[in-house]
Amino acid sequence: MSGLSGARTCPGLGEASDLKFPLGAKFREPLTEARFQQLFGDAEQESELLSEPRWSGLCRQWRRRPGACSGPGAWRLLLARLPPLRWLPQYRWRAWLLGDAVAGVTVGIVHVPQGTFAVLSLMTGSAVERLVPEPLGGNLSGIEREQLDAQRVGAAAALAFGSGALMLGMFALQLGVLSTFLSEPVVKALTSGAALHVLVSQLPSLLGLPLPRQIGCFALFKTLAAVLTALPRSSPAELTISALSLALLVPVKELNVRFRDKLPTPIPGEIVMVLLASVLCFTSSLDTRYNVQIVGLLPGGFPQPHLPNLAELPRILADSLPIALVAFAVSASLASIYADKYSYTIDSNQELLAHGVSNLISSLFSCFPNSATLATTSLLVDAGGNTQLAGLFSCIVVLSVLLWLGPFFYYLPKAVLACINISSMRQMFFQMQELPQLWRISRMDFAVWMVTWVAVVILSVDLGLAVGVVFSMMTVVCRTQRVQCLALGLAEGTELYRPLRESQKLLKVPGLCILSYPAPLYFGTRGQFRRTLEWHLGLGEGGKESPKTDGPPDAVAEPVRVVVLDCSGLTFADAAGAREVVQLASRCRDAGIHLLLAQCNAPVLGTLTQAGLLNRVTPEQLFVSVQDAAAHALERLETTGPKTCTVWV
């Protein structure tokens, strides 16, 4: 390469500006992995690195864990699994108690009628109707209808029991890591699409239209079509109630957001609205004079606990699994949104434990599967909730209604509840304002956001979630397929190696090729890995070819005699990828090319070793860094080739 057009020749390799030590001083000899372990490791680590099976190493590591069964270890486990023991001693009673109380009471008031409506809708849709179908004809007597409803309640309780058991099993297997597949675009698109579902589902109550609840795919469009068809029959009285409710709730929420730091607690607009609407409906008899839909009589009394029919478990398992997965995904998504917003961390496995125990216990009281909900979570935050203590106040409200306060909700208009849910969704819709910025940052993530949102809106929340996760994973796979192997050059006067295409002032030594492959090496990328290295090293199908260069197009490349493969970006390798590296080592040896591997992390190096790499190369060909490998390569080239380098200009 010394005669290249447009290139200049650097001093010889053995002179003062020796490229092995570009800063002008010889710091140390090049370090191989084996030598590094001898100097800075111990015999056990070296054995684990080069020869020991992984399982024995993991078992020994487990045996060395200090205090795994000690008293302090048990206390740490208890603190991890019972979070109130950790945060309750640090609770700021004066600053947080009022906000938690107001938020908890607000959510509890909304929970009571919504729970009743959920039970009613449960009798007419989803998995319960498939498990306990209505007889053909549908002409049932009162007793037969009660028996059918009781069977469906039992099936719902069995679903809750099965979902809780599955979540506890996932917790035992530490499968909370599955939440890592919920990327930020998927989570935000999911919650924005779900907010639109909540908005559309509240339209019948908002307009005073007694329409059946739509479920399944295209439910949003079915509901919109039914609302538009029945729009002439909407109630002017309920439209007025809805308009007045929104006129009160929306400004109050904006005031709470704008003056959140100045108010001791957010203004309880929802509680005020519920009280005013109930009193107005009672005193004006809106339910009888204008046919305003009201909550009506709520079932009272505390249910007797009893074990669900376990004989149903094999039959409901197919429905329990998707319910458990979707419930966990939705809960983890909501938790991650507010964790990012308020700068705290979540434990996905703890989420599984909490939901599993909650479903198991609630199934004893004939409850259906439960999960975090978008509307009440947003409502809790907007109402001023600070900690989990707000949930205790919600439970007190619900329990009080079951035992004593049920009649006080009789005259509450359903339109008011719809307005409360709709007004609490505004923050979820504001997430769409981030789309222009997301487009500028990453168009791939923008595509994930849009695909997930469209799937959630058109299909359903659960199917849209599945589509979003699958599409997000496909984009990751596609990105690994498009990674390019980069040829590196030395920045003169430093020890830094950078891609040659980034600068025209980087040094490249004839006969030495330094390559970086910044991607995982697995069955899906092994073909791309093989083709790119063949292209750079000139190892074609028909035998040894001229190597390619990243320099000027008229450059004549000298055959590669030493190649350094930078493995710092190779995060993991499977069996197929490891065998590809072994085959590369064999082909390089047959072609007379000396292969050096640099900066392999321990798991990758262990996989390569188990695949037989040390049968093709020696431990002296494995280096701790690119600089060490390059220094060794230059020493090798000093005795076998020209002593010149080139600078692309």
Side-chain angles (χ1 to χ4, degrees):
M1 282 189 175
S2 57
L4 290 178
S5 174
R8 62 183 174 86
T9 302
C10 292
L13 294 177
E15 299 181 13
S17 60
D18 194 340
L19 295 176
K20 294 181 292 182
F21 312 105
L23 297 180
K26 185 172 181 179
F27 295 109
R28 56 175 171 78
E29 293 297 324
L31 284 178
T32 64
E33 290 284 355
R35 180 59 177 163
F36 183 86
Q37 292 298 331
Q38 291 174 359
L39 294 175
F40 303 102
D42 53 37
E44 286 188 10
Q45 291 175 334
E46 185 177 1
S47 175
E48 289 178 20
L49 181 66
L50 298 178
S51 61
E52 185 182 51
R54 307 252 181 92
W55 285 111
S56 60
L58 291 176
C59 293
R60 186 175 59 257
Q61 183 181 6
W62 173 259
R63 289 196 300 269
R64 289 200 302 257
R65 288 182 61 185
C69 298
S70 64
W75 177 245
R76 286 194 298 269
L77 179 63
L78 191 63
L79 289 177
R81 297 311 170 209
L82 293 177
L85 296 178
R86 188 170 61 251
W87 57 261
L88 196 56
Q90 303 174 0
Y91 189 83
R92 297 163 56 187
W93 295 94
R94 291 186 177 181
W96 293 345
L97 182 60
L98 183 59
D100 283 338
V102 172
V105 171
T106 302
V107 172
I109 290 174
V110 175
H111 260 318
V112 171
Q114 282 186 344
T116 303
F117 302 151
V119 172
L120 295 177
S121 64
L122 190 72
M123 300 305 149
T124 59
S126 70
V128 173
E129 189 175 21
R130 295 196 303 271
L131 292 172
V132 187
E134 189 167 320
L136 295 176
N139 296 322
L140 301 177
S141 64
I143 296 178
E144 291 174 335
R145 173 61 64 182
E146 289 181 1
Q147 292 176 347
L148 179 64
D149 290 345
Q151 291 177 4
R152 288 181 172 176
V153 170
L159 278 174
F161 187 90
S163 300
L166 287 172
M167 286 184 175
L168 288 181
M170 294 169 65
F171 164 75
L173 297 174
Q174 297 291 285
L175 294 182
V177 69
L178 294 176
S179 64
T180 58
F181 295 107
L182 298 173
S183 64
E184 182 178 338
V186 170
V187 168
K188 292 190 174 181
L190 172 70
T191 52
S192 297
L196 187 59
H197 275 277
V198 172
L199 172 63
V200 173
S201 68
Q202 299 300 315
L203 288 180
S205 298
L206 199 72
L207 301 174
L209 299 173
L211 300 176
R213 175 174 172 265
Q214 302 291 337
I215 61 172
C217 295
F218 313 107
L220 186 145
F221 300 101
K222 293 177 183 177
T223 302
L224 283 177
V227 168
L228 292 176
T229 302
L231 193 58
R233 304 197 306 270
S234 59
S235 170
E238 299 203 56
L239 279 173
T240 303
I241 293 174
S242 300
L244 292 176
S245 299
L246 291 175
L248 172 66
L249 291 172
V250 173
V252 167
K253 286 185 176 294
E254 291 300 325
L255 288 175
N256 287 336
V257 172
R258 181 167 299 184
F259 300 102
R260 185 180 183 91
D261 297 332
K262 297 181 180 180
L263 294 173
T265 184
I267 302 172
E270 292 83 4
I271 297 178
V272 173
M273 193 69 249
V274 167
L275 295 176
L276 287 178
S278 299
V279 171
L280 179 63
C281 185
F282 172 72
T283 56
S284 304
S285 301
L286 297 180
D287 57 323
T288 56
R289 295 174 59 184
Y290 300 103
N291 294 323
V292 172
Q293 298 181 64
I294 58 176
V295 170
L297 184 64
L298 296 176
F302 198 81
Q304 294 295 324
H306 64 276
L307 194 66
N309 186 8
L310 298 183
E312 296 284 339
L313 288 180
R315 191 162 64 96
I316 58 94
L317 186 61
D319 291 295
S320 297
L321 181 59
I323 288 175
L325 292 176
V326 172
F328 168 65
V330 172
S331 300
S333 299
L334 288 173
S336 65
I337 287 178
Y338 288 102
D340 292 340
K341 184 176 181 180
Y342 294 105
S343 302
Y344 61 89
T345 59
I346 61 172
D347 183 354
S348 299
N349 288 306
Q350 182 67 19
E351 297 287 326
L352 285 172
L353 175 62
H355 284 292
V357 172
S358 175
N359 277 286
L360 278 181
I361 295 178
S362 63
S363 68
L364 303 178
F365 298 92
S366 301
C367 297
F368 51 86
N370 61 77
S371 174
T373 61
L374 185 61
T376 52
T377 302
S378 302
L379 179 61
L380 180 69
V381 175
D382 290 344
N386 297 295
T387 69
Q388 292 175 327
L389 195 63
L392 177 61
F393 290 100
S394 297
C395 293
I396 292 174
V397 170
V398 174
L399 184 61
S400 300
V401 170
L402 285 175
L403 297 179
W404 309 293
L405 303 180
F408 290 93
F409 288 86
Y410 186 92
Y411 289 100
L412 177 61
K414 294 182 181 179
V416 174
L417 292 174
C419 292
I420 291 175
N421 286 329
I422 291 174
S423 62
S424 64
M425 289 291 100
R426 72 193 205 292
Q427 292 296 334
M428 296 296 107
F429 291 119
F430 287 166
Q431 293 180 132
M432 302 186 74
Q433 296 177 349
E434 302 175 6
L435 286 178
Q437 182 184 14
L438 186 62
W439 171 265
R440 293 190 296 269
I441 296 174
S442 172
R443 296 186 180 183
M444 189 70 75
D445 286 344
F446 179 87
V448 172
W449 202 105
M450 292 303 302
V451 168
T452 305
W453 188 85
V454 170
V456 169
V457 170
I458 294 179
L459 300 177
S460 61
V461 174
D462 50 353
L463 291 179
L465 172 64
V467 170
V469 171
V470 171
F471 184 77
S472 178
M473 296 305 299
M474 287 176 59
T475 62
V476 173
V477 174
C478 290
R479 291 179 188 183
T480 61
Q481 296 284 332
R482 298 172 59 184
V483 170
Q484 297 180 352
C485 190
L486 303 175
L488 305 182
L490 177 66
E492 188 174 8
T494 72
E495 289 186 344
L496 302 177
Y497 286 85
R498 304 292 296 176
L500 290 172
R501 64 179 58 184
E502 292 184 2
S503 174
Q504 297 180 347
K505 299 181 180 180
L506 297 174
L507 305 180
K508 187 177 187 305
V509 178
L512 172 61
C513 183
I514 303 177
L515 301 175
S516 175
Y517 189 77
L521 184 55
Y522 64 103
F523 66 92
T525 58
R526 59 178 297 188
Q528 175 74 4
F529 176 80
R530 183 194 311 118
R531 289 190 295 270
T532 54
L533 263 71
E534 286 177 350
W535 189 88
H536 281 283
L537 301 180
L539 301 176
E541 293 291 338
K544 185 88 180 280
E545 297 180 355
S546 297
K548 306 302 185 294
T549 177
D550 287 337
D554 56 348
V556 179
E558 180 178 322
V560 175
R561 285 173 289 153
V562 181
V563 57
V564 176
L565 184 58
D566 177 13
C567 301
S568 59
L570 208 157
T571 54
F572 76 90
D574 66 356
R579 284 194 291 268
E580 194 64 44
V581 176
V582 174
Q583 293 175 10
L584 172 67
S586 298
R587 296 185 64 185
C588 287
R589 184 180 60 183
D590 296 340
I593 299 175
H594 191 61
L595 174 65
L596 306 176
L597 300 184
Q599 210 165 336
C600 287
N601 62 56
V604 171
L605 189 55
T607 302
L608 297 178
T609 302
Q610 295 297 326
L613 178 65
L614 293 182
N615 297 330
R616 303 293 190 275
V617 301
T618 64
E620 286 70 27
Q621 293 173 251
L622 308 177
F623 289 86
V624 296
S625 69
V626 175
Q627 290 81 3
D628 289 276
H632 174 79
L634 291 171
E635 287 180 353
R636 184 180 180 89
L637 289 174
E638 274 187 343
T639 59
T640 59
K643 298 177 175 53
T644 57
C645 65
T646 57
V647 181
W648 304 123
V649 294

